[in-house]
Amino acid sequence: GKRLKATGFRRVVHKREDFFKRVNDRVFVNSVDVVVDNPPYTGKGMKERVLKALVKADVPFCLLLPLGVLHGAMVRETLDRRHVQCLIPRRCWVSKRGGAEVPFKYLVWLCYKLDLDRDLVLMPDT
């Protein structure tokens, strides 16, 4: 949330709340322009649950996910391919709570209904 605000976004919601409750709250969803998130990867079926909830709520999103999700049937079955776009970072810096940041490769910003200028963007190092 702090990083988004620092780049100029004015309305940022970044709270520890139950995502699935919020995405089903129509008043809240109608106030959201886009969801930008790094959802948990490790929970069984969590990526699929998050994607399906966002599609059902008809919320545009940009999610940082392992690059391999693009090969999976789940993404192809869940998303309308006409609205899928990808930003591929050269590397991302990740850290565990309290740990030092380290480079992490093979991630993708999976974008949906964002109407970006291009469908695939290979992002620079900076």
Side-chain angles (χ1 to χ4, degrees):
K2 290 177 188 176
R3 288 184 182 178
L4 287 173
K5 287 179 182 177
T7 61
F9 290 93
R10 294 178 307 222
R11 294 180 357 187
V12 176
V13 177
H14 184 73
K15 299 177 183 176
R16 286 188 177 264
E17 296 180 308
D18 184 325
F19 165 80
F20 296 103
K21 285 183 182 176
R22 292 300 270 177
V23 80
N24 287 311
D25 176 350
R26 286 311 314 164
V27 173
F28 176 73
V29 167
N30 289 336
S31 73
V32 172
D33 294 323
V34 63
V35 169
V36 178
D37 200 0
N38 178 7
Y41 304 145
T42 55
K44 185 171 176 62
M46 185 59 72
K47 291 183 293 285
E48 182 175 2
R49 283 184 64 206
V50 169
L51 284 172
K52 285 184 175 185
L54 289 168
V55 169
K56 181 180 176 187
D58 197 26
V59 178
F61 61 80
C62 184
L63 302 178
L64 186 64
L65 296 167
L67 188 61
V69 301
L70 298 178
H71 293 281
M74 179 268 298
V75 166
R76 294 168 186 259
E77 293 166 359
T78 304
L79 305 178
D80 179 342
R81 64 186 174 105
R82 294 173 297 172
H83 299 292
V84 174
Q85 296 176 297
C86 297
L87 305 172
I88 302 186
R90 190 154 159 84
R91 74 176 56 95
C92 294
W93 292 89
V94 298
S95 64
K96 298 289 183 184
R97 286 194 180 121
E101 286 190 334
V102 295
F104 191 86
K105 294 183 180 182
Y106 313 120
L107 296 174
V108 61
W109 284 103
L110 179 61
C111 304
Y112 192 68
K113 292 192 173 183
L114 291 187
D115 296 323
L116 302 173
D117 290 339
R118 298 190 334 246
D119 289 339
L120 175 65
V121 177
L122 300 174
M123 299 169 70
D125 284 341
T126 56

